[in-house]
Amino acid sequence: MAEDSVPWKTLHSREYQGHKKKVHSVAWNCTGTKLASGSVDQTARVWHIEPHGHGKAKDIELKGHTDSVDQLCWDPKHAELIATASGDKTVRLWDARSGKCSQQAELSGENINITYKPDGTHIAVGNRDDELTILDVRKFKSIHKRKFNYEVNEIAWNMKGDMFFLTTGNGEQFFVSSTVEVLSYPSLRPLDTLMAHTAGCYCIAIDPTGRYFAVGSADSLVSLWDISEMLCVRTFTKLEWPVRTISFNHTGEYIASASEDLFIDISNAQTGKTVHQIPCRAAMNSVEWNPKYNLLAYAGDDKNKYQADEGNVFFEFSGLKVVPERNYSILGALSGGLYSNL
């Protein structure tokens, strides 16, 4: 896809309000038809997106956690199953059609990270005590636990599922370069230690084509790594605050990154050039590209006029032939032809 194939200047942004407090995480299902959001208000929500529907967006609330839902992820092989990680020390599996919790696992600490293995068989969970737990999805039982002696910030599998990545805060703790630890899977034996950044490595994203991974750091840089060579091929320097969240689009061509800067940067992964910036009202906690289309969801630390948290989810999309309006529902925003025009 050529760099100018996306009409960046004609993108439209839509906002949907549902949560009572700020949103920590957004994630699309494997078909790109549902978006989930996890919030400090102890709930998750699933927004059902009809490509050619009309009327109000359908959404369902997932209630049951007794603390903040800090991260969530969809089953990569099942478009209706979603897992949530909460500070209440539980991990829950939900059916997005009914909103019911079908499985629950009690773990040892306050959970902050969760990710599925690409084949859908295992879930990895990280907690505030730098402990990693691997769950067997079929039995929803822990099959492996490991406590690390360094700060673990985010976790991810490669696309093949034979490597496991940990971003660390080693640089802040030991005054050396912060690292990305690469482990073999399922043994979790060390494969490589990448001296990635001069401050804590906060977030990681895997290119859907399997060629690269990107790391966001407290030094305000995003680094792009060749996964076969384990070498940094370029850095992205547009942000000025610690990078909180990054995401590749479905082709791997673009990287979205965000921080406390009041914009989301979208850069071309191959050239390093910024192609678009989305203005924001507050620091962003999560950005996530749709797995099928150039549709970006994002959420952050929005406040209302009374300086109370607002749980808003935003969407930036191309190809719509509608007149911009404020506070569209998701369904109203998408009914203008997002899918057919991309």
Side-chain angles (χ1 to χ4, degrees), residues 19 37-45 61-63 65 67 69:
H19 291 285
S37 53
S39 171
V40 177
D41 68 10
Q42 304 180 4
T43 72
R45 282 183 178 269
E61 188 176 51
L62 310 182
K63 297 182 68 174
H65 283 296
D67 204 338
V69 179

Side-chain angles (χ1 to χ4, degrees), residues 194-301:
L194 308 178
M195 302 299 178
H197 288 268
T198 58
C201 297
Y202 283 170
C203 49
I204 186 168
I206 309 297
D207 165 23
T209 70
R211 297 171 297 176
Y212 303 105
F213 64 92
V215 178
S217 169
D219 63 13
S220 78
L221 299 176
V222 175
S223 56
L224 183 70
W225 297 75
D226 184 301
I227 210 164
S228 61
E229 302 291 335
M230 292 297 170
L231 292 174
C232 180
V233 295
R234 66 186 51 86
T235 57
F236 305 84
T237 62
K238 292 299 182 181
L239 299 175
E240 297 183 359
W241 291 85
V243 183
R244 295 184 176 190
T245 176
I246 52 180
S247 178
F248 284 93
N249 80 325
H250 66 288
T251 64
E253 185 178 6
Y254 300 110
I255 299 175
S257 57
S259 65
E260 294 176 50
D261 293 272
L262 297 182
F263 63 87
I264 298 167
D265 182 73
I266 299 176
S267 290
N268 184 290
Q270 294 301 315
T271 67
K273 179 183 176 183
T274 293
V275 296
H276 187 62
Q277 290 183 344
I278 303 169
C280 306
R281 297 196 300 254
M284 289 293 105
N285 295 323
S286 184
V287 298
E288 183 82 6
W289 286 100
N290 186 289
K292 304 291 184 183
Y293 313 101
N294 281 324
L295 171 62
L296 183 72
Y298 52 102
D301 292 343

